[in-house]
Amino acid sequence: MHKRSDTADRMEHIRPFYVMGLLARARELEAEGRDVIHMEVGEPDFTTPETIVRAGQQALADGYTRYLPATGLPELQKAIAGFYKDRYGVWIDHRRVIVTPGASGALQLALSVLIDPGDQVLMTDPGYPCNRNFVHLVGGEPVGIPVGPDSHYQLDAATVSANWSERTKAVLVASPSNPTGTLLGKADLSALHHEVCKLGGVLIVDEIYQGLVYGGDAGTALSVADDLFIINSFSKYFGMTGWRLGWMVVPDRFIAPVDRLAQNIFLSASSPAQYAALEAFSSETLDTTERRRQEFKVRRDYLLSALRSLGLKIAVEPEGAFYLYADCSALTEDSYSFAVDLLESEGVAITPGKDFGFNLPQQHLRFAYTTSVPRLKEGVDRLARFIRA
Ligand SMILES: Cc1ncc(COP(=O)(O)O)c(C=O)c1O
């Protein structure tokens, strides 16, 4: 028997990031001398805080370039556990902290250790696109549940219960979320956790945008329950996307299996990055991240009202992350062509809804405020001109 192709069947499920095509086109335009405003990029425009950079340089100079334990540098595991205690008043055993290559590595470990072929994982649609693909990689079935403004684009206990099947094994949520920037409150998280446990599943909460919140602090799901998986990262709040460093917190009984798996898949997360991240929780670094958070808030406030005044509908005020997920149905029936045309004619790059799932993607666009207020203003002026044309 000949296979049609030598690419594994699972690759059929792996969809590209459509925004990457737009980004490539934006780079071409820039190479031709055009000025492009980037509102598609899902990473802070700020570079890594100086304190962390210096610690990383020192680690390299001191020769800390070798493998570390698969679950992470113990001092870093302790520093992360200390952060939960200092900031959120939550005590956790540091051995439950597993240091990973980004939240991406954490998600892959969590899903690999939990999901058997055929198991279903419930998640929001729209949601972070890689989640579906991670589930496919382990032979599971991602089940995207359409969510909208009425539920703040989040899953609640009743929705989870209504979508539960014999094959459901886990529920994956994010707070603050990508692409909508909405949060799950403490009471909602508690009810969700209770429901998932009652149904015999496992709750995974992605808190990668923790700290990037503009009302009250969103806190952590760890203050609600212990028996869940928490995903986090140094990428966003600590401005370390390229260092590839994240972590997760797992229930006690998962420490040994996750360790075994991490030894095999990654050996360990980047050593210099781990030494650098020891500086992430110093007061000097946290002063910097706090200033940046305030700057993100200014940007959000500006862009939210500017987009609304252009006829884009943002029904729920996004309280975190650095994204606005806008309903553009008053302006176009096809958000993808809108994004392509906007880039070509005005040099403004945004992300079309179809990168985030199958729930009304054609009527949504994601705007990232990962650029300065003057650049955002310029982007909004160009967008206004595009809409008028
Ligand atoms: C919700 C969410 N989870 C996980 C990730 C992965 O981040 P990283 O691997 O850089 O930590 C991202 C990146 O954008 C994200 O938005």
Side-chain angles (χ1 to χ4, degrees):
M1 277 275 277
H2 285 293
K3 279 188 80 174
R4 282 180 317 264
S5 116
D6 51 8
T7 307
D9 291 344
R10 74 173 68 85
M11 288 308 296
E12 295 290 309
H13 296 293
I14 312 294
R15 299 205 315 169
F17 259 139
Y18 295 102
V19 71
M20 286 306 178
L22 283 166
L23 187 59
R25 180 64 188 140
R27 300 273 179 243
E28 270 173 26
L29 293 173
E30 284 171 327
E32 290 163 14
R34 291 271 302 277
D35 173 53
V36 176
I37 312 252
H38 290 277
M39 293 202 247
E40 82 285 30
V41 184
E43 65 180 333
D45 48 332
F46 302 112
T47 54
T48 305
E50 259 303 305
T51 41
I52 299 177
V53 171
R54 267 187 267 126
Q57 286 168 333
Q58 194 60 50
L60 288 170
D62 291 345
Y64 291 132
T65 54
R66 314 180 72 168
Y67 293 136
L68 288 169
T71 50
L73 178 68
E75 292 95 304
L76 184 59
Q77 292 175 291
K78 286 181 190 152
I80 293 168
F83 185 61
Y84 283 108
K85 188 163 137 295
D86 296 344
R87 182 164 279 202
Y88 302 110
V90 176
W91 186 90
I92 52 164
D93 181 340
H94 74 272
R95 285 168 303 186
R96 290 176 54 206
V97 176
I98 314 288
V99 181
T100 57
S104 308
L107 284 161
Q108 286 171 67
L109 276 180
L111 292 165
S112 305
V113 88
L114 287 171
I115 301 304
D116 277 320
D119 285 350
Q120 292 180 335
V121 180
L122 307 186
M123 56 188 73
T124 62
D125 183 345
Y128 178 56
C130 301
N131 290 338
R132 287 192 300 270
N133 298 331
F134 293 148
V135 174
H136 281 306
L137 278 183
V138 293
E141 186 189 326
V143 178
I145 301 176
V147 288
D150 49 334
S151 63
H152 281 218
Y153 295 98
Q154 292 284 0
L155 295 181
D156 57 28
T159 312
V160 162
S161 167
N163 285 276
W164 202 266
S165 84
E166 274 184 350
R167 292 195 288 128
T168 311
K169 180 70 192 288
V171 176
L172 173 50
V173 292
S175 175
S177 97
N178 177 5
T180 61
T182 58
L183 309 183
L184 272 165
K186 217 168 167 176
D188 299 328
L189 268 171
S190 179
L192 192 58
H193 175 259
H194 183 77
E195 189 65 27
V196 174
C197 291
K198 195 179 88 190
L199 292 163
V202 177
L203 179 63
I204 307 170
V205 185
D206 184 344
E207 298 187 339
I208 185 171
Y209 295 98
Q210 183 177 59
L212 290 167
V213 282
Y214 311 114
D217 196 334
T220 170
L222 283 171
S223 63
V224 162
D226 246 2
D227 194 14
L228 40 63
F229 279 64
I230 299 289
I231 307 292
N232 212 321
S233 176
F234 290 96
S235 285
K236 314 284 176 164
Y237 184 59
F238 296 102
M240 294 180 70
T241 43
W243 297 72
R244 309 309 304 128
L245 197 65
W247 74 87
M248 64 178 174
V249 183
V250 303
D252 270 327
R253 66 185 183 284
F254 284 99
I255 298 174
V258 168
D259 186 2
R260 216 160 64 226
L261 197 58
Q263 288 165 12
N264 280 278
I265 303 185
F266 309 122
L267 291 180
S268 77
S270 158
S271 313
Q274 294 195 56
Y275 283 98
L278 286 174
E279 266 303 311
F281 307 111
S282 71
S283 54
E284 208 182 331
T285 307
L286 293 175
D287 286 348
T288 305
T289 54
E290 172 56 16
R291 274 197 306 279
R292 292 175 175 186
R293 186 191 69 81
Q294 286 168 8
E295 169 62 20
F296 277 124
K297 180 177 185 316
V298 172
R299 296 173 180 183
R300 182 208 59 169
D301 292 347
Y302 163 71
L303 195 60
L304 182 59
S305 74
L307 293 185
R308 280 176 170 164
S309 67
L310 289 180
L312 288 149
K313 207 163 120 203
I314 303 165
V316 184
E317 179 165 310
E319 296 168 278
F322 30 61
Y323 307 115
L324 300 179
Y325 195 61
D327 180 334
C328 56
S329 52
L331 307 176
T332 179
E333 285 175 357
D334 178 0
S335 61
Y336 183 70
S337 318
F338 186 91
V340 170
D341 295 347
L342 177 66
L343 176 63
E344 291 298 333
S345 62
E346 290 290 347
V348 175
I350 52 178
T351 307
K354 72 174 177 174
D355 263 336
F356 305 104
F358 306 94
N359 174 22
L360 305 175
Q362 70 288 354
Q363 71 184 52
H364 288 93
L365 293 163
R366 189 193 73 176
F367 293 77
Y369 39 98
T370 45
T371 188
S372 67
V373 170
R375 294 291 285 166
L376 291 177
K377 285 191 167 147
E378 172 66 21
V380 166
D381 288 347
R382 294 186 195 180
L383 179 59
R385 195 163 56 209
F386 177 74
I387 292 169
R388 277 197 309 270

